[in-house]
Amino acid sequence: MTFAQLVDSLVSLVDSAVVPLLYAFAFIFFLVGMVRFFFMGGEEARKKGKEFMLWGIIGFVVLFSVWGIVRLLLSVFPSA
């Protein structure tokens, strides 16, 4: 196995397994924040809910940004 094949298989693994898992975590964080904000009583629960939703949204933004940069780089530097 050459180095290029190893890198290609590693990128494929990350693209098919790790990235969807990270999106799922960000979505779960957002949902937990929504549940805490809307359905749990008290000002402290609402504050924690806002924080969870904010971190979920930040996670989505970071993941979409990194995904876009990687796709851009892959289109600029095509594999041989």
Side-chain angles (χ1 to χ4, degrees):
M1 177 179 271
T2 66
F3 181 72
Q5 290 172 331
L6 178 66
V7 170
D8 189 42
S9 64
L10 185 64
V11 167
S12 176
L13 174 71
V14 168
D15 197 33
S16 65
V18 176
V19 172
L21 186 66
L22 291 174
Y23 278 113
F25 280 141
F27 185 66
I28 288 170
F29 252 71
F30 185 76
L31 286 180
V32 167
M34 283 183 57
V35 168
R36 283 182 163 214
F37 185 79
F38 288 114
F39 299 116
M40 292 192 175
E43 190 59 36
E44 185 65 29
R46 289 177 65 88
K47 184 178 176 186
K48 276 289 197 191
K50 284 181 186 179
E51 289 176 12
F52 270 74
M53 286 190 289
L54 178 65
W55 282 111
I57 290 171
I58 289 171
F60 275 124
V61 168
V62 168
L63 285 168
F64 279 121
S65 299
V66 169
W67 179 74
I69 291 169
V70 167
R71 293 295 172 188
L72 178 67
L73 289 175
L74 286 176
S75 68
V76 170
F77 303 112
S79 60

